[in-house]
Amino acid sequence: MPHAATLEELSSHIAAIQKVPGQLLEDAAPEVDLAGLRCIAQQLLELSRERRLAAKVSVSWPRAAVAVLLALGALITWIPALSYNFNGGFFMDDAMIKKNPNVYEELNWLRLFRTDYWGLDMFQGEWTHKSFRPLTVLSFRWNHALAGFEGSGFHVVNVLLNWVCSVLMGVLGFALGLPADFALLLGALFLAHPVHTESVLYIVGRADLLCLLLILVAALLYTPCVKELQPGFLLLPLSAVLMVAAGLCKETGFCFFGLLAGWEILGGLLTSWRRGRVLRILAMLLLGSLACGLRVWYTGTAIENMDPHSNPIAVHVDRGVRLRSYALLHGIYMKLLVFPNFLSYDYSFDAIPLVLDASDCRLLLPLVAYQGFFMLLALSLSVLHPHKQASEAPIVGMAILLLSFVPMSNILFPVGTMIGERLLYIPSAGLLLTVVSLVFSWKRRNSGAALLCIAGALGIWRCAVRVPEWKDSESITTADGLTQLNSARVQFNLANVYLQAKQYDLALDTYQRSINIDPTDHDALPLYHAGQILFFKGQHQEAARYLEKAVNGFFSPLTIQEEEIWHDYALSLWFVQKPQASIAHFQKALSINPTFTKAMNNMACAAGLGAITGILPREYYQHAINALDQAVRLDPANVLYWRNAVALMSGGGDESRAAATWQQLVAMDPQGAANPPKDCSWEFYFR
């Protein structure tokens, strides 16, 4: 048997021979010892197989034991989440689950394929996120069909999906050539990554969980094709179907046709270009282009009426500011992947101030991130070798990282958020696969594995702290509200917690902090709620000032109906002695929602009392009676409307009609009809 160095030299010669045109080989055949070359090549092949087999079974059992302990520790940190439910309130999940008719109403396939993830019409509505994820919405529907919105079903499914993805990560690493101990370590590190807490415990993150699960299954099924063990007649279409399904769970999935095609190209570069491989590459590129093209054609990529607070970079007029600020986001994303010490459910305005100047020292963060990325890429390319175990795993990991990060990076199109930790679920899989595989390829792999184990232990500790913070809406809102002080939305949500607890002074201070973050008074909701509290406290002038700003601000229809803001502004105007303006704004609220009975009742009180006291013309009295009559027709069981009708009729001198109305109320609700009212009662409550 030749010396090892000689074998490597011969191997390189044989690789060079493979690149020689066939005709030239035929012409040179009489002058070349082909039989000898064939014999040496066979010896090389046998030796290579022996070495790969020896490497595959050379598992470090102590390292495997530590990996198992890490996996068990990570598993335990997620167990409390199996009992979490929506009884503590939905945490912004209600928009796409509890309020989404595709989840709880009779299944309407046309509606399902016309609405986005939030249940909003993508083609006719005023606002849409363009996030078309029907399979994820169907999974919510199946959850609801099993147990409604009660119980822990939604959380249990997410936790189980995360566990399955962790197992599949280990299986993929093993399929790519990692020994069992490193494959176990890969799965454990994925399970222990703290940045996954939002993806798992914020139920909206199920889109990322399902997408990654289907991507991993498709990649595992396609592995025999890349290794030329199967021609791909069945596995290729099956993998393509799974990729389409991943894309219908989350748009990122469509990009991963590129993973399979790129993996095939890598296989061709490392081994050989056979006809079947070329055909599979062409088929995968064609199917991927078709799937991506149809997805973009169907919904487009632009977000209609994007909230500038969610992504203030996208609406900034200066291109340089946008580029620098997006670069900073890339650096923050990489920091969250590598060092997730600070976690928050929201990074909207003004948690991350825009990079207005190129001298901003924060730009060092993306520079480090880009340098780290290219170093990983260079290392991944440097270990590529056709006969080296797991040599392709790092570059496959880099492909997963790149294909999942680019769509969320604002490079191709603006996305609807500044930073979303749940968006890192799939990129983290690629990064971990790359790092673990490079450590395995490192000569000092024991030292590298020890560092990874330490990182895994720290991740378990951070998960153990973070998971309980997601127990319910109040706990996560309070936890992040006390740390993310510069996000107007986080402070607004914290103020809502205080408002629900009837801590009105603390709520008002926190709403004010949210308002102060945005000097343009753009966001309507903190202004609206602060105005409500001021009105409740009797500070009507200040309430009217805040509510006037609120009606001119921006808000999402997912969070509040526009007529509510106009209604409360109208109510405040009455109490600052502006009766005609008050009634005009009540009418504005009713023009938005003609069945808004609260506005009918309060407009009737304003118009009726104004007419009775003489501050409004007498004809307003009949307008008041007509408004109450309509309110009673829409909500005949509401005793307040009947009592107000009696009070206004009595005050307006229509005693006979008031008596008849009172008798109707007594007959309808003897207990609710105590004594005839003397004054009109306003309808007001916190939203």
Side-chain angles (χ1 to χ4, degrees):
M1 181 70 68
H3 189 271
T6 309
L7 289 176
E8 292 180 3
E9 186 178 333
L10 287 172
S11 178
S12 64
H13 289 325
I14 291 172
I17 292 172
Q18 290 178 337
K19 298 178 181 179
V20 176
Q23 184 60 45
L24 182 57
L25 284 175
E26 292 181 10
D27 295 341
E31 304 175 16
V32 177
D33 183 8
L34 294 179
L37 285 174
R38 189 179 297 110
C39 180
I40 294 172
Q42 186 64 32
Q43 290 176 342
L44 281 169
L45 183 60
E46 292 297 330
L47 182 60
S48 175
R49 286 175 178 172
E50 290 174 5
R51 288 183 176 178
R52 286 203 302 268
L53 183 60
K56 281 184 179 295
V57 298
S58 61
V59 174
S60 170
W61 294 112
R63 187 161 51 232
V66 172
V68 170
L69 289 175
L70 284 175
L72 290 174
L75 193 71
I76 291 171
T77 64
W78 293 102
I79 287 178
L82 294 173
S83 62
Y84 295 173
N85 53 52
F86 293 136
N87 293 336
F90 282 81
F91 179 71
M92 301 188 297
D93 296 295
D94 53 345
M96 68 209 48
I97 300 176
K98 195 172 183 180
K99 296 180 181 179
N100 190 340
N102 291 313
V103 174
Y104 60 87
E105 290 185 1
E106 183 179 352
L107 183 59
N108 183 323
W109 289 101
L110 178 61
R111 180 180 61 198
L112 178 66
F113 281 87
R114 282 190 59 88
T115 51
D116 63 13
Y117 198 29
W118 310 83
L120 301 173
D121 195 298
M122 294 183 292
F123 306 103
Q124 293 183 346
E126 296 181 2
W127 186 90
T128 175
H129 209 271
K130 294 295 180 72
S131 47
F132 179 57
R133 303 166 186 175
L135 293 187
T136 306
V137 174
L138 283 176
S139 77
F140 294 147
R141 181 179 182 84
W142 297 329
N143 256 132
H144 178 265
L146 289 173
F149 293 122
E150 304 299 324
S152 306
F154 285 88
H155 289 82
V156 168
V157 170
N158 273 26
V159 171
L160 292 178
L161 287 173
N162 184 45
W163 289 352
V164 171
C165 286
S166 301
V167 172
L168 290 175
M169 281 296 298
V171 174
L172 178 63
F174 188 75
L176 287 167
L178 289 178
D181 51 346
F182 274 88
L184 279 170
L185 182 58
L186 173 61
L189 290 173
F190 185 82
L191 189 60
H193 204 306
V195 84
H196 296 165
T197 48
E198 179 175 301
S199 300
V200 178
L201 302 177
Y202 181 22
I203 304 303
V204 174
R206 184 177 298 181
D208 299 88
L209 303 177
L210 289 172
C211 184
L212 178 61
L213 187 149
L214 292 169
I215 288 169
L216 293 175
V217 173
L220 287 168
L221 284 176
Y222 199 73
T223 303
C225 296
V226 178
K227 296 183 179 300
E228 296 283 13
L229 301 177
Q230 294 286 342
F233 297 125
L234 178 61
L235 296 181
L236 187 147
L238 184 56
S239 299
V241 168
L242 288 171
M243 285 301 182
V244 171
L248 293 177
C249 291
K250 186 175 181 179
E251 301 78 12
T252 308
F254 290 113
C255 300
F256 278 80
F257 280 94
L259 174 67
L260 303 185
W263 198 2
E264 283 278 20
I265 293 172
L266 180 64
L269 293 173
L270 292 178
T271 57
S272 62
W273 289 96
R274 296 184 180 179
R275 183 170 176 270
R277 188 186 299 279
V278 174
L279 291 177
R280 287 195 302 271
I281 292 172
L282 293 175
M284 199 59 70
L285 290 175
L286 177 63
L287 291 172
S289 300
L290 182 62
C292 291
L294 286 174
R295 171 62 179 83
V296 173
W297 167 80
Y298 186 59
T299 66
T301 57
I303 299 175
E304 301 293 340
N305 298 324
M306 180 189 291
D307 177 8
H309 270 208
S310 296
N311 188 349
I313 301 175
V315 297
H316 199 280
V317 295
D318 191 312
R319 184 171 181 269
V321 171
R322 293 199 304 272
L323 291 176
R324 291 190 294 270
S325 299
Y326 283 142
L328 176 61
L329 297 190
H330 300 165
I332 294 172
Y333 271 129
M334 290 303 168
K335 177 180 174 292
L336 285 168
L337 284 172
V338 176
F339 188 59
N341 62 319
F342 179 84
L343 297 173
S344 176
Y345 69 82
D346 183 86
Y347 293 80
S348 60
F349 187 87
D350 193 27
I352 304 172
L354 303 185
V355 184
L356 302 177
D357 193 279
S359 62
D360 194 322
C361 64
R362 292 178 297 163
L363 289 176
L364 292 174
L365 184 60
L367 288 178
V368 171
Y370 296 146
Q371 183 180 17
F373 173 82
F374 286 111
M375 285 179 61
L376 285 176
L377 182 60
L379 288 171
S380 300
L381 293 172
S382 69
V383 300
L384 281 174
H385 193 282
H387 303 305
K388 188 175 181 180
Q389 183 181 350
S391 71
E392 61 185 346
I395 201 66
V396 170
M398 292 300 292
I400 294 174
L401 173 62
L402 192 64
L403 289 170
S404 56
F405 186 78
V406 168
M408 58 179 266
S409 65
N410 291 281
I411 293 174
L412 301 178
F413 45 78
V415 298
T417 183
M418 286 280 281
I419 293 286
E421 291 173 6
R422 63 190 178 277
L423 304 182
L424 290 175
Y425 192 75
I426 304 176
S428 68
L431 180 63
L432 287 172
L433 177 59
T434 297
V435 171
V436 173
S437 303
L438 286 174
V439 168
F440 169 71
S441 301
W442 192 23
K443 292 181 180 179
R444 301 177 63 182
R445 67 179 61 164
N446 290 334
S447 300
L451 291 175
L452 290 179
C453 291
I454 293 172
L458 292 173
I460 291 172
W461 169 79
R462 189 67 183 92
C463 277
V465 173
R466 186 61 172 168
V467 169
E469 292 177 345
W470 278 94
K471 181 179 180 180
D472 54 38
S473 177
E474 181 177 344
S475 62
I476 184 62
T477 303
T478 304
D480 286 7
L482 297 176
T483 56
Q484 186 70 287
L485 299 177
N486 294 322
S487 167
R489 183 166 297 161
V490 170
Q491 294 306 305
F492 167 75
N493 290 336
L494 178 60
N496 288 343
V497 171
Y498 294 144
L499 180 60
Q500 291 172 2
K502 298 183 179 180
Q503 296 176 284
Y504 298 121
D505 291 337
L506 193 54
L508 183 59
D509 290 342
T510 311
Y511 282 128
Q512 188 61 60
R513 185 159 62 243
S514 175
I515 294 167
N516 292 341
I517 292 172
D518 178 16
T520 65
D521 293 330
H522 178 80
D523 193 352
L525 290 181
L527 293 162
Y528 169 63
H529 287 294
Q532 280 197 311
I533 295 174
L534 290 166
F535 180 84
F536 179 76
K537 292 165 68 72
Q539 300 176 30
H540 299 134
Q541 288 286 354
E542 279 295 287
R545 186 172 68 85
Y546 275 79
L547 291 169
E548 181 180 11
K549 292 180 180 180
V551 296
N552 294 305
F554 179 91
F555 64 93
S556 168
L558 292 169
T559 54
I560 193 170
Q561 299 302 314
E562 184 180 5
E563 63 267 21
E564 292 283 355
I565 303 178
W566 285 99
H567 167 273
D568 285 7
Y569 179 44
L571 190 59
S572 70
L573 289 173
W574 168 263
F575 282 86
V576 295
Q577 288 76 49
K578 296 182 178 180
Q580 289 185 326
S582 172
I583 292 172
H585 286 89
F586 279 129
Q587 291 173 336
K588 171 68 175 179
L590 285 168
S591 69
I592 298 170
N593 181 3
T595 63
F596 192 19
T597 55
K598 181 172 71 171
M600 295 173 189
N601 173 72
N602 287 342
M603 184 177 71
C605 288
L609 292 175
I612 292 169
T613 58
I615 61 176
L616 288 174
R618 182 64 186 177
E619 59 263 24
Y620 277 82
Y621 171 76
Q622 191 56 49
H623 294 325
I625 300 302
N626 292 341
L628 277 174
D629 181 65
Q630 188 176 1
V632 167
R633 291 177 185 276
L634 290 170
D635 189 5
N638 195 315
V639 174
L640 177 66
Y641 300 161
W642 289 88
R643 291 179 64 85
N644 281 346
V646 172
L648 290 179
M649 290 173 184
S650 298
D654 195 352
E655 295 295 344
S656 60
R657 191 174 178 187
T661 304
W662 178 252
Q663 291 304 317
Q664 284 183 273
L665 176 58
V666 170
M668 180 184 70
D669 186 5
Q671 293 181 344
N675 296 315
K678 299 299 182 182
D679 198 4
C680 200
S681 297
W682 302 94
E683 191 175 2
F684 170 82
Y685 46 83
F686 291 109
R687 297 292 300 174

